[in-house]
Amino acid sequence: KQEVTQIPAALSVPEGENLVLNCSFTDSAIYNLQWFRQDPGKGLTSLLLIQSSQREQTSGRLNASLDKSSGRSTLYIAASQPGDSATYLCAVSRWTYKYIFGTGTRLKVLA
Amino acid sequence: DTEVTQTPKHLVMGMTNKKSLKCEQHMGHRAMYWYKQKAKKPPELMFVYSYEKLSINESVPSRFSPECPNSSLLNLHLHALQPEDSALYLCASSQPRLAERTTTDTQYFGPGTRLTVL
């Protein structure tokens, strides 16, 4: 059974810092991996999607990498801003429409 | 238009009530999802419709009844719920790659319906 874990569970950093969020999954036979952000009480917004054949994806200040063999993905946020404060979730899918979500990292960027 | 809309935003119901949650998208996506999310927990998949047919039912109790009347609409009918069913209910859509029975594209989520069962 696929399990997805995110470390750290919570993170507080001063504005301007570069930071890395981690996602680990137990079954490396995935089709793709997505990173989402969720603001309190709101829906999820997709940030980046990495296909299993890809190693990384970039969008603006965000860079996500994928190492399938080791069951790991990282989300790198450059020059963090208070508006980046949210919960970040990774999710993996295999052969169906079923996405398994990680436990999430609650990020707070201090002004 | 990359928006998924959900109504109502908030819903309070008693255990004997019958209510429905609605979800709509006009992106031409043919896969639609219901998730349940408890506070400080990740979303849990409940149902998936692919091309208007129920593709996945994650052993959800029968007091939750999904319906996909057409490719743009997804409903979740609620009846005889329990207080522990109180949660944020999220709808999402994506464009499936039918041949490989996987989703290749981004999932777009609606803002959710905050459900409270008294």
Side-chain angles (χ1 to χ4, degrees), chain A residues 31-32 34 36 38 41-44 46 49 51 89 93-99 101-103 106, chain B residues 33 35 37 42-43 48 50 55 58 88 90 96-97 100-107 109-111 114:
Chain A
Y31 189 80
N32 64 35
Q34 287 193 61
F36 296 87
Q38 185 175 29
K42 306 287 187 182
L44 281 68
S46 181
L49 181 147
Q51 302 285 359
L89 295 151
S93 73
R94 198 177 173 182
W95 296 112
T96 68
Y97 304 100
K98 185 172 179 177
Y99 274 86
F101 280 81
T103 45
R106 292 189 303 280
Chain B
Y33 311 71
Y35 288 89
Q37 186 177 28
V48 180
S50 173
S55 179
E58 289 290 280
L88 181 67
L90 295 164
R97 179 181 292 183
E100 296 182 12
R101 296 171 57 231
T102 63
T103 54
T104 59
D105 288 339
T106 300
Q107 284 202 341
F109 279 78
R114 174 71 61 188

mmCIF file of all heavy atoms in Angstrom, chain A residues 31-32 34 36 38 41-44 46 49 51 89 93-99 101-103 106, chain B residues 33 35 37 42-43 48 50 55 58 88 90 96-97 100-107 109-111 114:
data_model
loop_
_atom_site.group_PDB
_atom_site.id
_atom_site.type_symbol
_atom_site.label_atom_id
_atom_site.label_comp_id
_atom_site.label_asym_id
_atom_site.label_seq_id
_atom_site.Cartn_x
_atom_site.Cartn_y
_atom_site.Cartn_z
ATOM 1 N N TYR A 31 3.039 6.913 -11.619
ATOM 2 C CA TYR A 31 2.900 7.458 -12.962
ATOM 3 C C TYR A 31 3.251 8.932 -12.991
ATOM 4 O O TYR A 31 3.900 9.419 -13.891
ATOM 5 C CB TYR A 31 1.491 7.238 -13.492
ATOM 6 C CG TYR A 31 1.383 7.583 -14.952
ATOM 7 C CD1 TYR A 31 1.814 6.680 -15.916
ATOM 8 C CD2 TYR A 31 0.894 8.820 -15.370
ATOM 9 C CE1 TYR A 31 1.754 6.991 -17.263
ATOM 10 C CE2 TYR A 31 0.836 9.131 -16.705
ATOM 11 C CZ TYR A 31 1.267 8.217 -17.642
ATOM 12 O OH TYR A 31 1.213 8.536 -18.968
ATOM 13 N N ASN A 32 2.764 9.669 -12.002
ATOM 14 C CA ASN A 32 3.185 11.053 -11.871
ATOM 15 C C ASN A 32 3.061 11.519 -10.432
ATOM 16 O O ASN A 32 2.525 10.818 -9.572
ATOM 17 C CB ASN A 32 2.433 11.983 -12.837
ATOM 18 C CG ASN A 32 0.948 12.061 -12.564
ATOM 19 O OD1 ASN A 32 0.509 12.014 -11.433
ATOM 20 N ND2 ASN A 32 0.162 12.204 -13.623
ATOM 21 N N GLN A 34 2.322 15.219 -8.158
ATOM 22 C CA GLN A 34 1.932 16.628 -8.192
ATOM 23 C C GLN A 34 2.226 17.272 -6.858
ATOM 24 O O GLN A 34 2.081 16.642 -5.811
ATOM 25 C CB GLN A 34 0.431 16.779 -8.472
ATOM 26 C CG GLN A 34 0.032 16.477 -9.896
ATOM 27 C CD GLN A 34 -1.381 16.955 -10.186
ATOM 28 O OE1 GLN A 34 -1.682 18.132 -10.098
ATOM 29 N NE2 GLN A 34 -2.247 16.018 -10.541
ATOM 30 N N PHE A 36 0.862 20.527 -4.613
ATOM 31 C CA PHE A 36 -0.254 21.455 -4.467
ATOM 32 C C PHE A 36 0.016 22.398 -3.306
ATOM 33 O O PHE A 36 0.764 22.061 -2.375
ATOM 34 C CB PHE A 36 -1.558 20.703 -4.133
ATOM 35 C CG PHE A 36 -2.061 19.773 -5.198
ATOM 36 C CD1 PHE A 36 -1.619 18.455 -5.256
ATOM 37 C CD2 PHE A 36 -2.993 20.199 -6.124
ATOM 38 C CE1 PHE A 36 -2.098 17.580 -6.222
ATOM 39 C CE2 PHE A 36 -3.491 19.333 -7.094
ATOM 40 C CZ PHE A 36 -3.036 18.026 -7.138
ATOM 41 N N GLN A 38 -2.392 24.634 -0.437
ATOM 42 C CA GLN A 38 -3.745 24.815 0.063
ATOM 43 C C GLN A 38 -3.733 25.907 1.130
ATOM 44 O O GLN A 38 -3.009 25.807 2.116
ATOM 45 C CB GLN A 38 -4.299 23.521 0.661
ATOM 46 C CG GLN A 38 -5.760 23.637 1.093
ATOM 47 C CD GLN A 38 -6.346 22.319 1.565
ATOM 48 O OE1 GLN A 38 -5.645 21.461 2.074
ATOM 49 N NE2 GLN A 38 -7.663 22.158 1.386
ATOM 50 N N GLY A 41 -8.818 26.399 4.822
ATOM 51 C CA GLY A 41 -10.233 26.298 4.500
ATOM 52 C C GLY A 41 -10.567 26.390 3.028
ATOM 53 O O GLY A 41 -11.736 26.518 2.664
ATOM 54 N N LYS A 42 -9.554 26.327 2.171
ATOM 55 C CA LYS A 42 -9.772 26.494 0.727
ATOM 56 C C LYS A 42 -9.465 25.205 -0.028
ATOM 57 O O LYS A 42 -8.981 24.224 0.534
ATOM 58 C CB LYS A 42 -8.856 27.605 0.179
ATOM 59 C CG LYS A 42 -8.968 28.931 0.913
ATOM 60 C CD LYS A 42 -10.254 29.643 0.601
ATOM 61 C CE LYS A 42 -10.259 31.038 1.207
ATOM 62 N NZ LYS A 42 -11.532 31.734 0.962
ATOM 63 N N GLY A 43 -9.726 25.242 -1.326
ATOM 64 C CA GLY A 43 -9.378 24.122 -2.178
ATOM 65 C C GLY A 43 -7.885 24.087 -2.465
ATOM 66 O O GLY A 43 -7.129 24.916 -1.987
ATOM 67 N N LEU A 44 -7.485 23.101 -3.263
ATOM 68 C CA LEU A 44 -6.072 22.925 -3.596
ATOM 69 C C LEU A 44 -5.760 23.570 -4.939
ATOM 70 O O LEU A 44 -6.588 23.543 -5.857
ATOM 71 C CB LEU A 44 -5.724 21.441 -3.682
ATOM 72 C CG LEU A 44 -5.496 20.684 -2.375
ATOM 73 C CD1 LEU A 44 -6.763 20.557 -1.572
ATOM 74 C CD2 LEU A 44 -4.906 19.304 -2.661
ATOM 75 N N SER A 46 -2.908 23.347 -7.941
ATOM 76 C CA SER A 46 -1.766 22.597 -8.438
ATOM 77 C C SER A 46 -0.615 23.539 -8.763
ATOM 78 O O SER A 46 -0.807 24.572 -9.406
ATOM 79 C CB SER A 46 -2.153 21.809 -9.689
ATOM 80 O OG SER A 46 -1.065 21.065 -10.157
ATOM 81 N N LEU A 49 3.440 19.492 -11.848
ATOM 82 C CA LEU A 49 3.211 18.071 -12.074
ATOM 83 C C LEU A 49 4.451 17.497 -12.744
ATOM 84 O O LEU A 49 4.951 18.061 -13.732
ATOM 85 C CB LEU A 49 1.979 17.858 -12.956
ATOM 86 C CG LEU A 49 1.598 16.410 -13.264
ATOM 87 C CD1 LEU A 49 0.089 16.266 -13.394
ATOM 88 C CD2 LEU A 49 2.276 15.909 -14.540
ATOM 89 N N GLN A 51 5.895 14.052 -14.511
ATOM 90 C CA GLN A 51 5.669 12.694 -15.000
ATOM 91 C C GLN A 51 6.810 11.798 -14.526
ATOM 92 O O GLN A 51 7.915 12.278 -14.268
ATOM 93 C CB GLN A 51 5.613 12.685 -16.530
ATOM 94 C CG GLN A 51 4.551 13.591 -17.132
ATOM 95 C CD GLN A 51 3.144 13.040 -16.996
ATOM 96 O OE1 GLN A 51 2.953 11.942 -16.462
ATOM 97 N NE2 GLN A 51 2.159 13.794 -17.446
ATOM 98 N N LEU A 89 1.161 20.195 -0.256
ATOM 99 C CA LEU A 89 0.860 18.767 -0.310
ATOM 100 C C LEU A 89 1.445 18.167 -1.579
ATOM 101 O O LEU A 89 1.344 18.758 -2.655
ATOM 102 C CB LEU A 89 -0.661 18.541 -0.323
ATOM 103 C CG LEU A 89 -1.422 18.968 0.934
ATOM 104 C CD1 LEU A 89 -2.843 19.359 0.589
ATOM 105 C CD2 LEU A 89 -1.438 17.831 1.940
ATOM 106 N N SER A 93 0.301 9.270 -8.150
ATOM 107 C CA SER A 93 -0.696 8.395 -8.761
ATOM 108 C C SER A 93 0.019 7.230 -9.441
ATOM 109 O O SER A 93 1.164 7.346 -9.861
ATOM 110 C CB SER A 93 -1.545 9.150 -9.777
ATOM 111 O OG SER A 93 -0.810 9.423 -10.946
ATOM 112 N N ARG A 94 -0.700 6.127 -9.563
ATOM 113 C CA ARG A 94 -0.141 4.947 -10.209
ATOM 114 C C ARG A 94 -0.948 4.617 -11.460
ATOM 115 O O ARG A 94 -0.907 5.355 -12.433
ATOM 116 C CB ARG A 94 -0.126 3.767 -9.236
ATOM 117 C CG ARG A 94 0.811 2.665 -9.676
ATOM 118 C CD ARG A 94 0.898 1.531 -8.702
ATOM 119 N NE ARG A 94 1.665 0.443 -9.244
ATOM 120 C CZ ARG A 94 1.875 -0.691 -8.611
ATOM 121 N NH1 ARG A 94 1.348 -0.895 -7.421
ATOM 122 N NH2 ARG A 94 2.588 -1.640 -9.163
ATOM 123 N N TRP A 95 -1.685 3.562 -11.498
ATOM 124 C CA TRP A 95 -2.305 3.119 -12.744
ATOM 125 C C TRP A 95 -3.765 3.528 -12.881
ATOM 126 O O TRP A 95 -4.383 3.268 -13.867
ATOM 127 C CB TRP A 95 -2.212 1.594 -12.883
ATOM 128 C CG TRP A 95 -0.806 1.142 -12.979
ATOM 129 C CD1 TRP A 95 -0.123 0.415 -12.061
ATOM 130 C CD2 TRP A 95 0.107 1.393 -14.056
ATOM 131 N NE1 TRP A 95 1.166 0.210 -12.499
ATOM 132 C CE2 TRP A 95 1.323 0.791 -13.704
ATOM 133 C CE3 TRP A 95 0.007 2.094 -15.259
ATOM 134 C CZ2 TRP A 95 2.450 0.852 -14.535
ATOM 135 C CZ3 TRP A 95 1.113 2.148 -16.083
ATOM 136 C CH2 TRP A 95 2.310 1.531 -15.718
ATOM 137 N N THR A 96 -4.308 4.140 -11.882
ATOM 138 C CA THR A 96 -5.706 4.545 -11.955
ATOM 139 C C THR A 96 -5.791 6.034 -11.724
ATOM 140 O O THR A 96 -4.786 6.726 -11.752
ATOM 141 C CB THR A 96 -6.557 3.810 -10.900
ATOM 142 O OG1 THR A 96 -6.167 4.279 -9.612
ATOM 143 C CG2 THR A 96 -6.347 2.316 -10.995
ATOM 144 N N TYR A 97 -6.993 6.507 -11.510
ATOM 145 C CA TYR A 97 -7.179 7.916 -11.214
ATOM 146 C C TYR A 97 -6.881 8.218 -9.756
ATOM 147 O O TYR A 97 -7.068 9.333 -9.305
ATOM 148 C CB TYR A 97 -8.627 8.310 -11.494
ATOM 149 C CG TYR A 97 -9.066 8.002 -12.898
ATOM 150 C CD1 TYR A 97 -9.811 6.878 -13.187
ATOM 151 C CD2 TYR A 97 -8.718 8.846 -13.944
ATOM 152 C CE1 TYR A 97 -10.209 6.603 -14.475
ATOM 153 C CE2 TYR A 97 -9.108 8.569 -15.230
ATOM 154 C CZ TYR A 97 -9.850 7.440 -15.498
ATOM 155 O OH TYR A 97 -10.233 7.164 -16.774
ATOM 156 N N LYS A 98 -6.395 7.255 -9.035
ATOM 157 C CA LYS A 98 -6.275 7.388 -7.585
ATOM 158 C C LYS A 98 -4.991 8.102 -7.197
ATOM 159 O O LYS A 98 -3.893 7.588 -7.405
ATOM 160 C CB LYS A 98 -6.309 6.004 -6.949
ATOM 161 C CG LYS A 98 -6.320 6.011 -5.452
ATOM 162 C CD LYS A 98 -6.552 4.602 -4.926
ATOM 163 C CE LYS A 98 -6.544 4.588 -3.418
ATOM 164 N NZ LYS A 98 -6.831 3.245 -2.884
ATOM 165 N N TYR A 99 -5.156 9.283 -6.642
ATOM 166 C CA TYR A 99 -4.030 10.020 -6.098
ATOM 167 C C TYR A 99 -3.960 9.781 -4.596
ATOM 168 O O TYR A 99 -4.961 9.863 -3.897
ATOM 169 C CB TYR A 99 -4.179 11.516 -6.372
ATOM 170 C CG TYR A 99 -3.659 11.934 -7.719
ATOM 171 C CD1 TYR A 99 -4.458 11.867 -8.854
ATOM 172 C CD2 TYR A 99 -2.349 12.391 -7.864
ATOM 173 C CE1 TYR A 99 -3.965 12.237 -10.092
ATOM 174 C CE2 TYR A 99 -1.852 12.767 -9.105
ATOM 175 C CZ TYR A 99 -2.665 12.680 -10.212
ATOM 176 O OH TYR A 99 -2.177 13.049 -11.441
ATOM 177 N N PHE A 101 -2.367 11.327 -1.268
ATOM 178 C CA PHE A 101 -1.797 12.585 -0.809
ATOM 179 C C PHE A 101 -0.868 12.368 0.373
ATOM 180 O O PHE A 101 -1.076 11.477 1.207
ATOM 181 C CB PHE A 101 -2.903 13.561 -0.402
ATOM 182 C CG PHE A 101 -3.549 14.260 -1.566
ATOM 183 C CD1 PHE A 101 -4.524 13.627 -2.311
ATOM 184 C CD2 PHE A 101 -3.158 15.539 -1.925
ATOM 185 C CE1 PHE A 101 -5.109 14.257 -3.402
ATOM 186 C CE2 PHE A 101 -3.737 16.175 -3.006
ATOM 187 C CZ PHE A 101 -4.714 15.536 -3.746
ATOM 188 N N GLY A 102 0.148 13.199 0.437
ATOM 189 C CA GLY A 102 1.039 13.213 1.580
ATOM 190 C C GLY A 102 0.409 13.933 2.749
ATOM 191 O O GLY A 102 -0.674 14.518 2.643
ATOM 192 N N THR A 103 1.119 13.908 3.847
ATOM 193 C CA THR A 103 0.620 14.444 5.111
ATOM 194 C C THR A 103 0.692 15.966 5.172
ATOM 195 O O THR A 103 0.079 16.570 6.038
ATOM 196 C CB THR A 103 1.436 13.857 6.260
ATOM 197 O OG1 THR A 103 2.837 13.907 5.927
ATOM 198 C CG2 THR A 103 1.062 12.397 6.492
ATOM 199 N N ARG A 106 3.066 22.531 6.635
ATOM 200 C CA ARG A 106 2.485 23.871 6.872
ATOM 201 C C ARG A 106 3.630 24.873 6.914
ATOM 202 O O ARG A 106 4.475 24.824 7.799
ATOM 203 C CB ARG A 106 1.686 23.896 8.170
ATOM 204 C CG ARG A 106 0.424 23.070 8.115
ATOM 205 C CD ARG A 106 -0.453 23.291 9.348
ATOM 206 N NE ARG A 106 0.235 23.012 10.587
ATOM 207 C CZ ARG A 106 0.420 21.805 11.081
ATOM 208 N NH1 ARG A 106 0.007 20.733 10.417
ATOM 209 N NH2 ARG A 106 1.044 21.635 12.227
ATOM 210 N N TYR B 33 -13.881 14.058 -9.530
ATOM 211 C CA TYR B 33 -13.546 13.401 -8.266
ATOM 212 C C TYR B 33 -14.278 14.063 -7.097
ATOM 213 O O TYR B 33 -14.497 15.276 -7.092
ATOM 214 C CB TYR B 33 -12.051 13.543 -7.970
ATOM 215 C CG TYR B 33 -11.094 13.205 -9.082
ATOM 216 C CD1 TYR B 33 -10.948 14.019 -10.200
ATOM 217 C CD2 TYR B 33 -10.283 12.071 -9.002
ATOM 218 C CE1 TYR B 33 -10.059 13.717 -11.198
ATOM 219 C CE2 TYR B 33 -9.382 11.765 -9.996
ATOM 220 C CZ TYR B 33 -9.269 12.589 -11.094
ATOM 221 O OH TYR B 33 -8.374 12.282 -12.089
ATOM 222 N N TYR B 35 -13.477 14.312 -2.959
ATOM 223 C CA TYR B 35 -12.571 14.058 -1.860
ATOM 224 C C TYR B 35 -13.213 14.551 -0.571
ATOM 225 O O TYR B 35 -13.975 15.516 -0.570
ATOM 226 C CB TYR B 35 -11.249 14.822 -2.033
ATOM 227 C CG TYR B 35 -10.322 14.323 -3.099
ATOM 228 C CD1 TYR B 35 -10.421 14.794 -4.414
ATOM 229 C CD2 TYR B 35 -9.305 13.427 -2.805
ATOM 230 C CE1 TYR B 35 -9.543 14.377 -5.398
ATOM 231 C CE2 TYR B 35 -8.417 12.998 -3.783
ATOM 232 C CZ TYR B 35 -8.540 13.478 -5.059
ATOM 233 O OH TYR B 35 -7.656 13.059 -6.034
ATOM 234 N N GLN B 37 -11.980 15.935 3.280
ATOM 235 C CA GLN B 37 -10.800 16.382 3.998
ATOM 236 C C GLN B 37 -11.190 16.835 5.398
ATOM 237 O O GLN B 37 -11.954 17.787 5.560
ATOM 238 C CB GLN B 37 -10.099 17.532 3.258
ATOM 239 C CG GLN B 37 -8.783 17.936 3.899
ATOM 240 C CD GLN B 37 -8.047 19.020 3.138
ATOM 241 O OE1 GLN B 37 -8.651 19.835 2.464
ATOM 242 N NE2 GLN B 37 -6.726 19.034 3.251
ATOM 243 N N PRO B 42 -4.727 15.310 5.045
ATOM 244 C CA PRO B 42 -4.766 15.415 3.579
ATOM 245 C C PRO B 42 -6.115 14.974 3.033
ATOM 246 O O PRO B 42 -6.861 14.266 3.714
ATOM 247 C CB PRO B 42 -3.657 14.449 3.140
ATOM 248 C CG PRO B 42 -3.536 13.470 4.261
ATOM 249 C CD PRO B 42 -3.849 14.225 5.518
ATOM 250 N N PRO B 43 -6.445 15.360 1.816
ATOM 251 C CA PRO B 43 -7.695 14.898 1.195
ATOM 252 C C PRO B 43 -7.687 13.376 1.026
ATOM 253 O O PRO B 43 -6.651 12.786 0.718
ATOM 254 C CB PRO B 43 -7.700 15.593 -0.170
ATOM 255 C CG PRO B 43 -6.757 16.736 -0.027
ATOM 256 C CD PRO B 43 -5.717 16.293 0.952
ATOM 257 N N VAL B 48 -14.522 8.509 -8.048
ATOM 258 C CA VAL B 48 -14.035 9.037 -9.312
ATOM 259 C C VAL B 48 -15.019 8.655 -10.405
ATOM 260 O O VAL B 48 -15.419 7.489 -10.490
ATOM 261 C CB VAL B 48 -12.646 8.488 -9.685
ATOM 262 C CG1 VAL B 48 -12.192 9.093 -11.031
ATOM 263 C CG2 VAL B 48 -11.622 8.779 -8.607
ATOM 264 N N SER B 50 -15.293 8.633 -14.551
ATOM 265 C CA SER B 50 -14.561 8.779 -15.794
ATOM 266 C C SER B 50 -15.542 8.614 -16.941
ATOM 267 O O SER B 50 -16.217 7.576 -17.019
ATOM 268 C CB SER B 50 -13.461 7.727 -15.885
ATOM 269 O OG SER B 50 -12.844 7.763 -17.155
ATOM 270 N N SER B 55 -15.944 5.112 -11.696
ATOM 271 C CA SER B 55 -14.726 4.350 -11.922
ATOM 272 C C SER B 55 -14.128 3.845 -10.620
ATOM 273 O O SER B 55 -13.579 2.744 -10.562
ATOM 274 C CB SER B 55 -13.715 5.231 -12.660
ATOM 275 O OG SER B 55 -12.510 4.548 -12.877
ATOM 276 N N GLU B 58 -14.233 4.330 -3.134
ATOM 277 C CA GLU B 58 -13.291 3.928 -2.102
ATOM 278 C C GLU B 58 -14.005 3.428 -0.854
ATOM 279 O O GLU B 58 -13.774 3.926 0.252
ATOM 280 C CB GLU B 58 -12.365 5.095 -1.756
ATOM 281 C CG GLU B 58 -11.365 5.419 -2.835
ATOM 282 C CD GLU B 58 -10.300 4.336 -2.967
ATOM 283 O OE1 GLU B 58 -9.360 4.319 -2.158
ATOM 284 O OE2 GLU B 58 -10.404 3.515 -3.896
ATOM 285 N N LEU B 88 -14.528 19.143 5.057
ATOM 286 C CA LEU B 88 -14.503 19.910 3.812
ATOM 287 C C LEU B 88 -14.593 18.910 2.661
ATOM 288 O O LEU B 88 -13.774 17.983 2.586
ATOM 289 C CB LEU B 88 -13.208 20.723 3.721
ATOM 290 C CG LEU B 88 -13.024 21.619 2.492
ATOM 291 C CD1 LEU B 88 -14.032 22.766 2.485
ATOM 292 C CD2 LEU B 88 -11.601 22.165 2.432
ATOM 293 N N LEU B 90 -14.289 18.300 -1.227
ATOM 294 C CA LEU B 90 -13.639 18.901 -2.380
ATOM 295 C C LEU B 90 -13.977 18.131 -3.648
ATOM 296 O O LEU B 90 -13.970 16.908 -3.670
ATOM 297 C CB LEU B 90 -12.118 18.891 -2.195
ATOM 298 C CG LEU B 90 -11.566 19.738 -1.043
ATOM 299 C CD1 LEU B 90 -10.136 19.334 -0.726
ATOM 300 C CD2 LEU B 90 -11.635 21.213 -1.402
ATOM 301 N N PRO B 96 -8.503 12.598 -18.431
ATOM 302 C CA PRO B 96 -7.861 11.290 -18.350
ATOM 303 C C PRO B 96 -7.291 10.850 -19.687
ATOM 304 O O PRO B 96 -7.775 11.243 -20.732
ATOM 305 C CB PRO B 96 -9.016 10.369 -17.945
ATOM 306 C CG PRO B 96 -10.209 11.013 -18.570
ATOM 307 C CD PRO B 96 -9.954 12.496 -18.499
ATOM 308 N N ARG B 97 -6.246 10.023 -19.605
ATOM 309 C CA ARG B 97 -5.743 9.352 -20.798
ATOM 310 C C ARG B 97 -6.360 7.969 -20.767
ATOM 311 O O ARG B 97 -5.899 7.080 -20.073
ATOM 312 C CB ARG B 97 -4.223 9.255 -20.773
ATOM 313 C CG ARG B 97 -3.670 8.536 -21.997
ATOM 314 C CD ARG B 97 -2.170 8.411 -21.949
ATOM 315 N NE ARG B 97 -1.522 9.689 -22.090
ATOM 316 C CZ ARG B 97 -0.194 9.836 -22.138
ATOM 317 N NH1 ARG B 97 0.580 8.773 -22.030
ATOM 318 N NH2 ARG B 97 0.344 11.017 -22.267
ATOM 319 N N GLU B 100 -4.479 4.397 -21.198
ATOM 320 C CA GLU B 100 -3.630 3.864 -20.138
ATOM 321 C C GLU B 100 -4.302 3.926 -18.784
ATOM 322 O O GLU B 100 -3.695 3.594 -17.779
ATOM 323 C CB GLU B 100 -2.308 4.636 -20.101
ATOM 324 C CG GLU B 100 -1.480 4.466 -21.359
ATOM 325 C CD GLU B 100 -0.159 5.213 -21.280
ATOM 326 O OE1 GLU B 100 0.202 5.656 -20.192
ATOM 327 O OE2 GLU B 100 0.502 5.328 -22.332
ATOM 328 N N ARG B 101 -5.567 4.353 -18.762
ATOM 329 C CA ARG B 101 -6.347 4.396 -17.533
ATOM 330 C C ARG B 101 -5.607 5.154 -16.428
ATOM 331 O O ARG B 101 -5.586 4.751 -15.290
ATOM 332 C CB ARG B 101 -6.698 2.993 -17.073
ATOM 333 C CG ARG B 101 -7.599 2.261 -18.052
ATOM 334 C CD ARG B 101 -7.756 0.812 -17.703
ATOM 335 N NE ARG B 101 -8.277 0.646 -16.369
ATOM 336 C CZ ARG B 101 -7.705 -0.147 -15.458
ATOM 337 N NH1 ARG B 101 -6.631 -0.801 -15.748
ATOM 338 N NH2 ARG B 101 -8.236 -0.252 -14.255
ATOM 339 N N THR B 102 -4.961 6.223 -16.839
ATOM 340 C CA THR B 102 -4.324 7.056 -15.817
ATOM 341 C C THR B 102 -4.637 8.514 -16.107
ATOM 342 O O THR B 102 -5.030 8.866 -17.208
ATOM 343 C CB THR B 102 -2.791 6.904 -15.834
ATOM 344 O OG1 THR B 102 -2.309 7.368 -17.099
ATOM 345 C CG2 THR B 102 -2.382 5.470 -15.624
ATOM 346 N N THR B 103 -4.439 9.326 -15.120
ATOM 347 C CA THR B 103 -4.576 10.758 -15.341
ATOM 348 C C THR B 103 -3.207 11.314 -15.648
ATOM 349 O O THR B 103 -2.242 11.059 -14.939
ATOM 350 C CB THR B 103 -5.151 11.464 -14.112
ATOM 351 O OG1 THR B 103 -4.359 11.140 -12.975
ATOM 352 C CG2 THR B 103 -6.572 11.037 -13.869
ATOM 353 N N THR B 104 -3.099 12.044 -16.713
ATOM 354 C CA THR B 104 -1.804 12.593 -17.049
ATOM 355 C C THR B 104 -1.733 14.077 -16.762
ATOM 356 O O THR B 104 -0.661 14.633 -16.702
ATOM 357 C CB THR B 104 -1.525 12.397 -18.549
ATOM 358 O OG1 THR B 104 -2.550 13.055 -19.292
ATOM 359 C CG2 THR B 104 -1.509 10.931 -18.892
ATOM 360 N N ASP B 105 -2.862 14.697 -16.643
ATOM 361 C CA ASP B 105 -2.873 16.136 -16.512
ATOM 362 C C ASP B 105 -3.182 16.569 -15.093
ATOM 363 O O ASP B 105 -3.575 15.798 -14.237
ATOM 364 C CB ASP B 105 -3.893 16.756 -17.472
ATOM 365 C CG ASP B 105 -3.424 16.669 -18.903
ATOM 366 O OD1 ASP B 105 -2.221 16.513 -19.122
ATOM 367 O OD2 ASP B 105 -4.265 16.757 -19.810
ATOM 368 N N THR B 106 -3.046 17.858 -14.906
ATOM 369 C CA THR B 106 -3.248 18.474 -13.612
ATOM 370 C C THR B 106 -4.667 18.266 -13.106
ATOM 371 O O THR B 106 -5.619 18.313 -13.873
ATOM 372 C CB THR B 106 -2.975 19.973 -13.739
ATOM 373 O OG1 THR B 106 -1.633 20.148 -14.174
ATOM 374 C CG2 THR B 106 -3.194 20.693 -12.427
ATOM 375 N N GLN B 107 -4.789 18.046 -11.825
ATOM 376 C CA GLN B 107 -6.102 18.049 -11.192
ATOM 377 C C GLN B 107 -6.443 19.476 -10.789
ATOM 378 O O GLN B 107 -5.641 20.155 -10.155
ATOM 379 C CB GLN B 107 -6.102 17.166 -9.940
ATOM 380 C CG GLN B 107 -6.141 15.684 -10.249
ATOM 381 C CD GLN B 107 -6.682 14.874 -9.076
ATOM 382 O OE1 GLN B 107 -6.700 15.318 -7.953
ATOM 383 N NE2 GLN B 107 -7.144 13.679 -9.373
ATOM 384 N N PHE B 109 -8.975 21.734 -8.590
ATOM 385 C CA PHE B 109 -9.866 21.588 -7.447
ATOM 386 C C PHE B 109 -10.809 22.788 -7.331
ATOM 387 O O PHE B 109 -10.440 23.925 -7.639
ATOM 388 C CB PHE B 109 -9.070 21.483 -6.140
ATOM 389 C CG PHE B 109 -8.531 20.112 -5.879
ATOM 390 C CD1 PHE B 109 -7.400 19.659 -6.532
ATOM 391 C CD2 PHE B 109 -9.154 19.274 -4.970
ATOM 392 C CE1 PHE B 109 -6.894 18.388 -6.300
ATOM 393 C CE2 PHE B 109 -8.653 18.002 -4.722
ATOM 394 C CZ PHE B 109 -7.522 17.557 -5.390
ATOM 395 N N GLY B 110 -12.004 22.506 -6.838
ATOM 396 C CA GLY B 110 -12.922 23.563 -6.450
ATOM 397 C C GLY B 110 -12.592 24.047 -5.047
ATOM 398 O O GLY B 110 -11.721 23.486 -4.374
ATOM 399 N N PRO B 111 -13.284 25.095 -4.597
ATOM 400 C CA PRO B 111 -12.988 25.681 -3.281
ATOM 401 C C PRO B 111 -13.517 24.847 -2.117
ATOM 402 O O PRO B 111 -13.123 25.073 -0.976
ATOM 403 C CB PRO B 111 -13.695 27.038 -3.325
ATOM 404 C CG PRO B 111 -14.806 26.834 -4.299
ATOM 405 C CD PRO B 111 -14.286 25.870 -5.329
ATOM 406 N N ARG B 114 -17.913 23.308 2.999
ATOM 407 C CA ARG B 114 -17.687 23.007 4.418
ATOM 408 C C ARG B 114 -18.986 22.458 4.985
ATOM 409 O O ARG B 114 -19.980 23.162 5.096
ATOM 410 C CB ARG B 114 -17.288 24.274 5.167
ATOM 411 C CG ARG B 114 -17.158 24.108 6.679
ATOM 412 C CD ARG B 114 -15.956 23.299 7.071
ATOM 413 N NE ARG B 114 -14.704 23.923 6.635
ATOM 414 C CZ ARG B 114 -13.530 23.330 6.718
ATOM 415 N NH1 ARG B 114 -13.438 22.109 7.192
ATOM 416 N NH2 ARG B 114 -12.452 23.963 6.312
#
